[in-house]
Every structure is written in C-alpha cells, then in structure tokens.
Amino acid sequence: MNSRPFYHLLFSACLCNICLTADFYTNNWAVQLAGTSAESVERISRKYGFINMGKIFTDSNYYHMKQRAVLKQSFQTHLHSVRLRKDPMIIWFAQQSGKSRKKRHSFIPPSDPLFHKQWHLSESFGHNIVAAWTRGYTGKGVVVSVLDDGIEKNHPDLAGNYDPAASYDINDIDPNPDPHRTLYKRNRHGTRCAGQIASVANNSVCGVGVAYHAKIGGIRMLDGDVTDLIEAKSLIFNQHHIDIYSSSWGPPDTGSVVDGPGLLSQEALIRGVSQGRGGLGSIFIWASGNGGMNMDNCNCDGYVNSIYTVAISSTTNRADVPSYSEPCAAVLTTTYSGGNGNQERIVTTDLNGACTTDHTGTSASAPLAAGIIALALEANPTLTWRDVQHLVVRASRRHNLKAEDWTVNGAGRNVSHYYGYGLLDAGKLVGLARNWSAVNSQKKCQHVILKYMPVKIGHYLRISWNETACRWDRNRIRSLEHVQAQLSLKHVHRGDLTITLLSPAGTPSNLLTRRHFDRSSAGFSGWNFMSTRCWDEDPTGVWSLIIRNTGDRHNIGELTHLHINLYGTDEHIFGRRMERTMIHQCTVRNNNGSCKDCPYPLYIFENICVVACPPHFYELDSNSSTYPQRHCLPCHRSCETCSGPEGTHCLDCPPHSTFNPQLGMCSSPNYRCRRA
Ligand SMILES: *[C@@H]1O[C@H](CO)[C@@H](O)[C@H](O)[C@H]1NC(C)=O
Ligand SMILES: *[C@@H]1O[C@H](CO)[C@@H](O)[C@H](O)[C@H]1NC(C)=O
Ligand SMILES: *[C@@H]1O[C@H](CO)[C@@H](O)[C@H](O)[C@H]1NC(C)=O
Ligand SMILES: *[C@@H]1O[C@H](CO)[C@@H](O)[C@H](O)[C@H]1NC(C)=O
Ligand SMILES: *[C@@H]1O[C@H](CO)[C@@H](O)[C@H](O)[C@H]1NC(C)=O
Ligand SMILES: *[C@@H]1O[C@H](CO)[C@@H](O)[C@H](O)[C@H]1NC(C)=O
Ligand SMILES: [Ca+2]
Ligand SMILES: [Ca+2]
Ligand SMILES: [Ca+2]
Ligand SMILES: [Ca+2]
C-alpha cells in the first residue's frame, strides 16, 4: 500500500470553500504593520509565531513573515486570520498562496543545417515533439546511454552532451567507448543511435536530438564476443546515474531462434527495475527486432518480451509497416524509422564527425523512443519504470498507421501486433507525466493451468479457465499490466505452431505466429510468452489459450505445462484522478541546485516540489523550529514502499522479493528458481 495520509487529509480539507481559489497555501505571510520600530516588529512576530524575514520593500512597512509552525488545516489558517484582523498594530496582511505558473515558451526552430531534413521531428508528422519542446522539455537532467558498438565521443554534434559517467567499454574493459574502425566493420551503429537522442542543438552541425539537452553516453559491448556476463554488466552499469538504457540488439532475427537473457542478464534487468535510478527503476528501451523479412516474431526474443523492457516498433514516413519490422504481442509503442527502397530515412550523426541521412531499422526506433521518454522524465522525475509503461500506453495513438490487425481491446484502446498502442506522442506524454501519480506496487498473480497431465496438440487445441486474479488475497489484480503464458511443449516442427491468448474481454494476443524458417523440433521449455495488449483490462473471467498446427496434420505434439502470470495493480485504474499537476517548481534552492523550500503542503524531492512522494521514498514532516519542512526521504534499499528509513519499515517489496521477518527487510529468494 502506498500510504499518503497527509495528502488525503489536505485535499479533502481543500474541498471546503476556503481554499478553492488558491492552489495551496505557503507558510509565508505579507504583513503591513502600524509601527516599524525593531521592538514592535519583534513583539508582533513573537505574538503570532512568526519569524521576521525582513522588509518586502525598503522604506516600507510591509514585512515578509514566516510562520514557525505549519498550519495543517485551513480552518486553523482561518482562525489565525481572525486574530490578525483584530490586532490594531496590523494594517493589512495576506497569507501567500502558491499558484501554478507555467513558463511560456514559443518554438523557434533550431538553426542546425540538417534540421529541415529531420522529418520525424517536424510538426507535420505525428510524434508531436515540438509540442513537448514548446513546453520547455528538452531532456535537461536526464541521462541516456546507448548499449551498442561504441560512441564517437568527440563527434562535434555529441561532444557537448557527452557524459563519461554514462559510458564504458565493456569489450575492452576501459573507460573509452570510442568505436573501433576496421576495414570490414564500421561500428557506426552506436554513434548513429546516440545522435538521434541527444545531438546538440543550434551548433551549426548536423541536426538535433529529440532530447537535445539530455546527457548521452555509450557502452561499447557489441564489438566482441557477446556473453551473458557482458550483457549483464552493460545493463547494470552505473545504474544510479543512467536513467535510460537504449538497446537495439538481441538474438539473431533469422526467424528460427528462441533465445533471451541468460541468468545474469535476467538478474541485471530485475536489479535494474527494482534498484536502479535511486529505486524508481532503470528504463530499458528495446528495439523489437529486424526479422520481418524472415517472418520472425519478437515474442521469441526474451529481451523484447521481458516485462522489464519497453519494446519499440517502427513505422515509415508513409505510416506503413516497414519490411524489416517484426510483430508481436509484447510491443508497446512505435516510432518513425526508415522505409523501404528509396523512402525517407533518419538523419543523425555518423562516424568521423559526419552526418548521415541513411539511418534505419528498428534500431533507429528505440533511440527515438528513448529520447521521447527522456522528455517525460524531465517533466516528472518521480516516475517509476511501471509508470513509464502506463504513460507510454496512454500517450500512443493509432494516428494514421496502416496495419490489418488493429483491434480495440477491453480497455477501449486501439492496439496492433505491429505497433503496440501506436505512434508515441511526445506532447501528450509530457502532459500526462506532469499530472501522473505513481501506480500502486506491482501485484503478481500466478495460476497453474496445466502441470502433471500433458495434453496432446493435434490440429487445434483450446484450453480455457476461469480466472479469479487472486481476488481473495493480497495479490488481487483489478487492472492488468503484463500477462505471461509460460509454457513447455514438444512438437516435431515448432515453426508450424501458432498460439493465441484470448482475454475475458475478448482481446486476442497472437503469442506465436507461423515462422517458416523455424524447423526446430526442440519445442518450448518454460518459455514466457508475453502480451501488453490487455493493459488496464479487468483480468477476472474466462481466458483461453489456443494452439494450432498450421503444418502437416500428422505432426503431433504435447503441451506439458502451462502457467499464467498476471501482473498489474489493485487500483481501479480508470477511476484515478489525473487533473492535478503533481510536480511544481522549487521556490528556494540550495547552492548545489537541490531544493530547499517548497510551498506548503508540498514535499521536497531532490530539486523539485511534489504533491506526494514516489515509491522508494517516505514522507517526513520535519519539525525544526526555524524551517518546518516536508521532505521525501529514501526508504531502506530493500523496500518498494515504506514508512521510515529501516528495513523493518518496508510496506511493499519490489518484484521477486518478499518481506523476511528474520532479516527485518525485503529479500529475494534464490534467483535460480525463477527460470522454469
Ligand atoms: C537557437 O537559436 C535561436 C536564435 O538565437 C534561439 O532563438 C533558439 O531558442 C535556439 N534554440 C535552442 C534549442 O537553443
Ligand atoms: C480506434 O481507431 C479508429 C480508427 O482510427 C478510431 O475511429 C477510433 O476512435 C479509435 N478508438 C479509440 C478508442 O481511440
Ligand atoms: C467464473 O468465476 C466467477 C467467480 O468465481 C463466477 O461468478 C463466474 O460465473 C464464473 N464464470 C464461468 C463462465 O464459469
Ligand atoms: C494537468 O492538470 C492541470 C491542472 O493542474 C490541468 O489544467 C491539465 O489539463 C491537466 N493535464 C492533463 C493532460 O490532464
Ligand atoms: C545540497 O546542499 C544541501 C545543504 O546546502 C545538502 O543538505 C544536500 O545534501 C546537498 N545535496 C547534494 C545532492 O549535494
Ligand atoms: C514540534 O516541536 C515542538 C517543539 O519543539 C513540539 O511542541 C511539537 O509537538 C512538535 N510537533 C510534532 C508534530 O512533532
Ligand atoms: Ca576502448
Ligand atoms: Ca546539431
Ligand atoms: Ca527477432
Ligand atoms: Ca518488453
């Protein structure tokens, strides 16, 4: 449970007329006094519990007074006013209310020579990035790292945003991630992806990145033997500094492979979402894959279908499915990339200080999404890894994207296996991010459908079950996020099988489509097929899993095990209120830029003011006599939510861990048990 008692108390108090016009009260008062002698000012401030902060205007009798104790309820404020009004020494007073003030920005296009060729950033295409820029979001304070074949750190369009702390060479084990140039391999991929995210604006070089004020780094890890260890080290590198990891790699897209993260990489993803980014969770952006020509399905890629990664697909400037694109039920959203033949491609930085107009593939889509999500993290740095996924679902739209399989799911959203929820809208994303409060902790509800009694797979197999979604216990799920069908089966010709999952609302998820090049007889062994297509649906009711053999009728197989894992929250997600801005500007800062003072009743969180503290932080009313303040302070590192700093204060534990009373903190069981 996220307990936010003060928040509820305050805003219910705000329902009465007293504070209808103000957004919130501060503990600052402006007071006009009849006498200005030091002694009379001192007497007045003592009498009413004020600290005299000095004259507002020199040579005036207007004083800035700060209240010693914070008044928590507006009727007390009101009583205070009644007393002040009766005092003959006080001519006039006003308690200062905080008002939402938005900086106004107008958009002046950057002067970079290739900006006019960056069609994917322009207002005539659907990403709506200019809207986010116009609101002032350009990636400030956000750190993105590209996990690839290196990054040309001195590139004139990257150097200004380059962040050595977000960079490393895992291949050669040194801090310099510069790509190695050889006759046969150009290793330009990472540099191209980095430019899409954070090329410098207005510097007369190339174009601009989506998040042109973000910090950008690169981890060189693809140029050598890629091992589980190397992947894991890359995914977890400097995880409190890097906010977003952009990956455009994975198992071969031959359409015959079923592979995913090894033990260490799986562990790295889990540690990333539960501990990275100060506990809010690292954001892992993943390209859905380029196996379209080979009829690959990205649910056979364990990085893409991981619930911890955000899978990104591509569309072209003509809103088509590009030939390289592979569909699957795990895709969440879509960004622009290059098209077929001589269609437009993406303009970005290239090796040797150059620029290219020729970047393409889903490889180009992941960095674009990483840049757009960087804008959202600037708009709201308190978002958890799951909040980011919720917002991406809401900020994606069908727009004009062409596909034959668009359907409306049980939550009323258009969804496609090619595009997820559609084209990511940056303007909408930052707007929603600003008003979003953290979703309750993740619930996982598991249901064993088939374990000891293998079932024959002939031409057609349908298994149905009535799901209670843990209605009777603490893992109750009212609003679904990810659903996994973990299954083991034997079949002589795996590529002939298709698997479809039907939710109670009737939403179909094609978990496996026919893969002509997959002639394996290895079957599946505890493979986690995943769907994001039922996001926000109520999971209770009858589900079905349908397996079809589209090949030779005489080939038979056997389903030996089927587990369903539902992930989601106990919230009625459609009932939540989204009309209040959750993040406010800081009023007074320390020299180091961190926030020193927020208007009451807001909490100080790092360098901003927030209405409520995010998960992994607890709310503290500090009671120092001079500066009564409210802070978000970090929980014990093992907790997801907490009521205080110790392990014993944990209220919820992060994924894959539970509260251990002996240790007095959340702890993880043996990770090896996780893989079936
Ligand atoms: C680019 O320069 C122009 C002209 O000086 C300025 O108005 C604009 O705000 C700058 N844009 C950025 C992104 O710095
Ligand atoms: C789904 O897409 C169709 C066609 O673009 C559109 O008419 C409809 O309003 C969309 N539904 C929702 C809920 O966005
Ligand atoms: C499923 O279970 C619920 C609650 O146990 C029950 O109300 C409902 O009728 C069941 N549905 C079917 C189709 O059996
Ligand atoms: C966010 O909240 C503000 C009020 O605080 C409201 O004006 C605005 O419309 C909300 N934005 C969205 C996208 O709901
Ligand atoms: C910034 O300075 C304040 C006091 O001036 C200190 O309490 C705080 O820890 C500092 N924060 C950082 C991030 O250095
Ligand atoms: C705050 O401190 C004052 C005196 O130091 C004390 O009287 C008061 O009860 C304290 N309030 C809280 C909420 O701890
Ligand atoms: Ca190196
Ligand atoms: Ca530039
Ligand atoms: Ca693939
Ligand atoms: Ca994923």
Side-chain angles (χ1 to χ4, degrees), residues 189-212:
H189 197 248
T191 301
R192 290 179 161 201
C193 293
Q196 291 181 275
I197 300 167
S199 302
V200 174
N202 264 5
N203 63 346
S204 315
V205 185
C206 297
V208 307
V210 182
Y212 53 77

Side-chain angles (χ1 to χ4, degrees), residues 169 172 174 176 180:
D169 183 343
D172 287 353
D174 68 58
N176 179 359
H180 290 202

Side-chain angles (χ1 to χ4, degrees), residues 67-329:
Q67 223 167 287
R68 238 169 243 284
V70 170
L71 295 179
K72 287 196 177 153
Q73 285 170 350
S74 39
F75 73 88
Q76 282 179 320
T77 302
H78 188 63
L79 285 180
H80 211 71
S81 309
V82 170
R83 289 176 61 212
L84 294 179
R85 202 167 291 136
K86 286 185 179 155
D87 193 317
M89 290 301 290
I90 296 175
I91 303 169
W92 173 90
F93 65 89
Q95 186 179 9
Q96 300 301 295
S97 61
K99 296 191 175 116
S100 292
R101 285 282 184 275
K102 293 200 179 68
K103 282 193 204 151
R104 291 190 187 82
H105 301 262
S106 58
F107 179 67
I108 299 153
S111 58
D112 306 64
L114 294 183
F115 178 71
H116 72 282
K117 288 197 162 180
Q118 292 186 297
W119 57 274
H120 62 285
L121 303 176
S122 93
E123 282 173 278
S124 40
F125 286 84
H127 275 323
N128 205 14
I129 286 163
V130 169
W133 288 346
T134 307
R135 295 183 62 165
Y137 302 119
T138 53
K140 287 180 294 298
V142 182
V143 180
V144 188
S145 189
V146 173
L147 276 48
D148 213 294
D149 57 12
I151 178 174
E152 190 171 287
K153 61 181 193 305
N154 296 327
H155 191 291
D157 217 13
L158 293 174
N161 287 335
Y162 178 73
D163 182 356
S167 304
Y168 202 76
D169 183 343
I170 308 250
N171 287 132
D172 287 353
I173 316 185
D174 68 58
N176 179 359
D178 266 320
H180 290 202
R181 297 161 181 84
T182 68
L183 212 49
Y184 307 103
K185 271 185 82 184
R186 281 174 293 179
N187 291 321
R188 62 190 185 188
H189 197 248
T191 301
R192 290 179 161 201
C193 293
Q196 291 181 275
I197 300 167
S199 302
V200 174
N202 264 5
N203 63 346
S204 315
V205 185
C206 297
V208 307
V210 182
Y212 53 77
H213 285 142
K215 289 283 167 208
I216 184 78
I219 297 188
R220 178 169 174 264
M221 46 78 69
L222 281 187
D223 194 16
D225 293 332
V226 182
T227 62
D228 188 24
L229 180 69
I230 283 180
E231 292 179 2
K233 283 169 89 173
S234 308
L235 292 167
I236 208 112
F237 180 77
N238 212 353
Q239 63 168 192
H240 292 301
H241 181 71
I242 298 171
D243 300 302
I244 302 173
Y245 298 75
S246 179
S247 295
S248 300
W249 47 271
D253 287 323
T254 53
S256 58
V257 175
V258 176
D259 195 11
L263 204 84
L264 300 173
S265 307
Q266 179 72 7
E267 178 78 32
L269 291 173
I270 291 168
R271 283 180 185 255
V273 297
S274 39
Q275 294 167 16
R277 210 158 51 90
L280 298 175
S282 305
I283 310 299
F284 297 112
I285 305 297
W286 225 279
S288 63
N290 289 339
M293 303 279 228
N294 296 326
M295 284 153 282
D296 201 3
N297 183 296
C298 47
N299 238 313
C300 294
D301 176 334
Y303 299 89
V304 170
N305 83 0
S306 164
I307 70 170
Y308 307 119
T309 63
V310 183
I312 314 295
S313 269
S314 303
T315 190
T316 72
N317 63 328
R318 296 186 195 154
D320 292 317
V321 176
S323 57
Y324 51 79
S325 177
E326 42 181 299
C328 71

Side-chain angles (χ1 to χ4, degrees), residues 568-579:
T569 88
D570 57 3
E571 257 182 276
H572 280 299
I573 207 89
F574 284 107
R576 66 178 11 228
R577 290 170 50 190
M578 300 259 295
E579 65 278 10

